[in-house]
Amino acid sequence: MSRSSFAATIGQFGGPSQLAVGALPRPQARAGEIVVEVEAASVNPIDVRRRAGYGRRLMSLLGAARLPLVLGNDFVGKVAAVGRGVSGLREGDAVFGAIPPSSRGTHATHVALKAVHAALRPPAIEAATLAALPYNYLTVMRAFEGAGITPRNAAGREVLVHGATGGLGRIAVALLQQMGARITASGGRRSAGPGQLFDQRSPPLAALAPHFAATLNFASWDDEPALLRLLAEDAIGHATTVHPMLGLLDSAGVVRGGLAALRAKRRMAALAPPGARYAWSVFRPDPAALSALAGSAATLLPALVETFRLDQVAEAHRHVERRDPGRAILLPQEHIDLN
Ligand SMILES: NC(=O)c1ccc[n+]([C@@H]2O[C@H](COP(=O)([O-])OP(=O)(O)OC[C@H]3O[C@@H](n4cnc5c(N)ncnc54)[C@H](OP(=O)(O)O)[C@@H]3O)[C@@H](O)[C@H]2O)c1
């Protein structure tokens, strides 16, 4: 059996042409870790931005900006090795999950990860479709938590999802539907598409009355004040994933950037009605949420994915940059043409 592995790496930050596929030593499973043979891994907007250097300051502090860098958080695959102290997973198990930002991400044939970041894969779902879910789902759960949205308080309430056609937005809409919320979708150049059960209006934000129990911003920081003004007086809250925190740390450094971020957050929070929550949400792996996803994945699958071999990784990044329809999914076990 070959002991090498292949990964999409970047040697320096920049455009898609910085991406190359190269052989790396096969990662080893240390204590508490497993090695996964990656069958499918999604390319998310954050990968494209990290490739260009975005978030470098914080990522460096987290040890996640070391070059050559392998991007990618989600994975669907098979356990290839198990480290000491891991219980509940065995070699050959079909797994899926998402890892924290790292320099050795999932855009590779093999990745080592903490076993707690993997769960048994739900049956009868194609790897490429399932790979579109973990990173986005876990981020949406963070946004719900940040905004204070729960199945109990969302039922029958009005919720606005800004950026509803995207990876996060589609999942948020599906979950909110399951909670019985009344959803308004906004933002985006595309309609929500056939088969969506929610209100397909895509009204300009300025045309809406301030009657929402919660608003979620997955689209544009520029729209943050407009969204906050749409909250009802007794609103639950608002969360955004498109906040400027990483950008401010990049441009002004950890201390000055951190203070600027704090000020920007306070300014926005002041626009929310008293009592409403206001959150800047950040992806974080969560074993409990991942196991909930294993049970509900079949109800959240994207309508469309676009698959790419590992050696087509630059094209996958361009697909994401153009905001073309369909989540970009890498299939690292497909034949690679290195010439
Ligand atoms: N903070 C975190 O940890 C975290 C984690 C995950 C994602 N994110 C960020 O959250 C955002 C959403 O992620 P995603 O994966 O859902 O991205 P996505 O799939 O690209 O979807 C973005 C959505 O926002 C819409 N949109 C984008 N720019 C817009 C603009 N200027 N005005 C109005 N609508 C706009 C898009 O519409 P169309 O494409 O249909 O036009 C789409 O509906 C991204 O910016 C991503 O980087 C942050």
Side-chain angles (χ1 to χ4, degrees), residues 170-197:
R170 290 179 57 87
I171 292 173
V173 165
L175 290 170
L176 286 162
Q177 276 177 347
Q178 291 167 15
M179 293 177 190
R182 295 153 59 100
I183 301 151
T184 297
S186 66
R189 299 162 296 179
R190 289 182 285 275
S191 83
Q196 291 278 19
L197 298 175

Side-chain angles (χ1 to χ4, degrees), residues 135 163 165-168 188-190 218 241 281-283 323 327:
Y135 176 79
T165 55
L168 299 183
R189 299 162 296 179
R190 289 182 285 275
F218 303 136
T241 59
S281 300
V282 177
F283 159 77
R323 286 159 61 193
R327 211 59 173 178

